[in-house]
Amino acid sequence: AGLCSSWPSSSTLGAEQKENPYPAHQRSGDSHGGVISTHTYFYTDEAKCDQHMETFLGCIDASSGSSEDGFSAIKLTALGRPQFLVQFSEVLVKWRKLFQQLAAEQGQAGRAVLDMKLDVEKLQDSLANLGIATQRDSQHWFRGENLGVSGTVDLLDWNSLIDSRRKLSKLLLVPNVQTGQLEPLFSCFTEEEDQQMERVLQRMDVLAKRAIEKGVRLMVDAEQSYFQPAISRLTLEMQRRFNRDQAIIFNTYQCYLKEAYDNLTVDVELSHREGWHFSTKLVRGAYMEQERERATQMGYEDPINPTYEKTNEMYHRCLDYILEDIKQSRKASVMVASHNEDTVKFTLHRMVELGIHPSEKKVYFGQLLGMCDQITFPLGQAGFPVYKYVPYGPVKEVLPYLSRRAQENRGFMKRANRERDLLWREVKRRLRTGSLFSHP
């Protein structure tokens, strides 16, 4: 089976706008200077986004024509203005931090995110004391959304208020950490930003419907952490709609992020409550250098795990959680996108322990085309669904991507040497048997 990743070309690769940081919103939202590990799109206009959508449609068609049960990868920075994704991400992060602040006030600091449950009466008192909403306003929120009927509000209940932001936008105020003043959570959402969201969702809708028509799964790639909350949120909207009966839309979780496990578990729980198929690709991550440089420049905590070993632990923890959920629900799917042999062995071992058979097609494996074939081919021959990720486009854009992926893949050269040794061993075997140009 094959996997097709689209890569519309850009004449502005490496360009960097010189606006002030958003702090660095503009710079982060509309540029990709210094990013060569993976492609980031430079926004020009809506027509360009439509062109990217057409390219993605072609990618879906190509994937359908080359294999059964194919995947096609897309990037949301190609389908809308990245600046909007930054702004929407900010809103989501502020809203979640407010929830965690309120949970800390109720003595729940340090708990796992899913274990935080706010007492509704205390929550209403806190909102009134902070000047965010009067008792009457907050009662209206929860009564109108039928939340808090159990006497508590958890993070999923809290997030559902965002869905009603048009009704609540004038009421939702959050403290500004820098100034201590209250400010409207949705102040940055003009009519144009609302239209941006609608246009991105419309393009995703077109792609999802084509994917269903062609028998292809749509994989939404992860991007930089200042885009990612919005990307994940928009992807969830698509999963709610298209994953009711089968896994069509796959989200991506980057396990080098400190919040990866919390993000994953919250979304799995949401899928349980709403009854749709949870499907994801797990990766280690491709933006480490840029993320750390930006965190240093802007003075916030590095979002990346401190060591490669910690990232490995996070990857296996997230993977194990999904495998356990597959065992329990049989409504989850995961793409193990990894070149790490230990991770592949871990997955196979846990699948045996949990009774997950390859023929169920709940666990997929993926590697880049041309990398780690000694992992890919044995998996395929053993009956596991395994895919090759195919980046394509102008050579000057693809080669830097591949070279950086090689640099950031710890142990890559060791694996390259092993591949060379295996190939040389096979050449010598064929010379001995007189079958140099035939199949073994």
Side-chain angles (χ1 to χ4, degrees), residues 227-256:
F227 295 135
Q228 195 54 44
I231 291 171
S232 288
R233 184 72 183 195
L234 294 170
T235 303
L236 279 175
E237 292 302 315
M238 291 293 103
Q239 289 180 313
R240 282 169 158 163
R241 179 171 181 184
F242 293 102
N243 283 14
R244 286 290 168 185
D245 300 317
Q246 58 181 318
I248 298 294
I249 308 296
F250 280 63
N251 205 348
T252 303
Y253 295 83
Q254 299 160 297
C255 293
Y256 69 177

Side-chain angles (χ1 to χ4, degrees), residues 23-281:
H25 276 173
Q26 300 296 327
R27 182 174 180 180
S28 299
D30 274 354
S31 81
H32 48 258
V35 181
I36 62 172
S37 63
T38 186
H39 200 81
T40 304
Y41 292 88
F42 188 95
Y43 178 84
T44 51
D45 54 35
E46 292 299 305
K48 192 66 174 177
C49 292
D50 287 335
Q51 289 177 24
H52 291 156
M53 183 185 71
E54 292 298 325
T55 301
F56 289 145
L57 288 170
C59 180
I60 292 170
D61 293 343
S63 183
S64 173
S66 64
S67 65
E68 294 182 7
D69 299 323
F71 283 88
S72 184
I74 66 171
K75 285 183 178 288
L76 291 202
T77 51
L79 298 177
R81 190 167 185 251
Q83 175 64 19
F84 156 72
L85 296 175
V86 174
Q87 290 173 304
F88 189 25
S89 292
E90 262 212 313
V91 166
L92 296 170
V93 169
K94 283 182 179 180
W95 192 236
R96 182 161 171 169
K97 284 184 176 178
L98 178 57
F99 175 85
Q100 292 172 321
Q101 175 187 332
L102 295 169
E105 289 180 4
Q106 294 192 16
Q108 299 185 38
R111 287 190 187 180
V113 172
L114 278 177
D115 293 335
M116 292 179 176
K117 299 185 188 302
L118 304 181
D119 178 271
V120 171
E121 291 186 3
K122 293 180 181 178
L123 171 58
Q124 290 173 337
D125 289 340
S126 295
L127 294 174
N129 292 336
L130 287 169
I132 293 173
T134 65
Q135 288 275 357
R136 182 177 178 180
D137 286 336
S138 58
Q139 285 174 2
H140 172 71
W141 294 1
F142 299 122
R143 186 168 56 248
E145 297 303 315
N146 197 30
L147 300 176
V149 291
S150 63
T152 61
V153 171
D154 66 12
L155 182 60
L156 296 180
D157 297 327
W158 184 253
N159 284 343
S160 69
L161 290 171
I162 292 284
D163 295 332
S164 303
R165 61 192 178 80
R166 283 181 175 81
K167 289 188 291 185
L168 304 174
S169 59
K170 293 181 180 179
L171 300 175
L172 295 181
L173 303 173
V174 294
N176 183 307
V177 176
Q178 279 74 35
T179 66
Q181 301 297 311
L182 293 176
E183 58 184 30
L185 185 66
F186 292 102
S187 60
C188 61
F189 271 69
T190 63
E191 184 177 345
E192 169 59 23
E193 265 82 42
D194 275 335
Q195 292 175 0
Q196 278 282 342
M197 181 182 292
E198 292 301 319
R199 285 192 287 260
V200 172
L201 287 170
Q202 285 168 2
R203 292 182 182 110
M204 293 179 74
D205 185 75
V206 169
L207 295 172
K209 288 177 178 175
R210 177 70 69 87
I212 292 172
E213 176 190 341
K214 297 291 185 177
V216 172
R217 273 72 56 83
L218 205 60
M219 187 176 288
V220 181
D221 274 346
E223 305 195 45
Q224 290 93 333
S225 62
Y226 43 88
F227 295 135
Q228 195 54 44
I231 291 171
S232 288
R233 184 72 183 195
L234 294 170
T235 303
L236 279 175
E237 292 302 315
M238 291 293 103
Q239 289 180 313
R240 282 169 158 163
R241 179 171 181 184
F242 293 102
N243 283 14
R244 286 290 168 185
D245 300 317
Q246 58 181 318
I248 298 294
I249 308 296
F250 280 63
N251 205 348
T252 303
Y253 295 83
Q254 299 160 297
C255 293
Y256 69 177
L257 293 177
K258 295 173 182 176
E259 295 186 344
Y261 183 78
D262 283 345
N263 293 337
L264 177 78
T265 54
V266 166
D267 292 347
V268 169
E269 178 61 25
L270 181 65
S271 73
H272 290 169
R273 292 191 189 182
E274 298 182 343
W276 43 270
H277 287 252
F278 178 83
S279 47
T280 183
K281 177 175 70 170

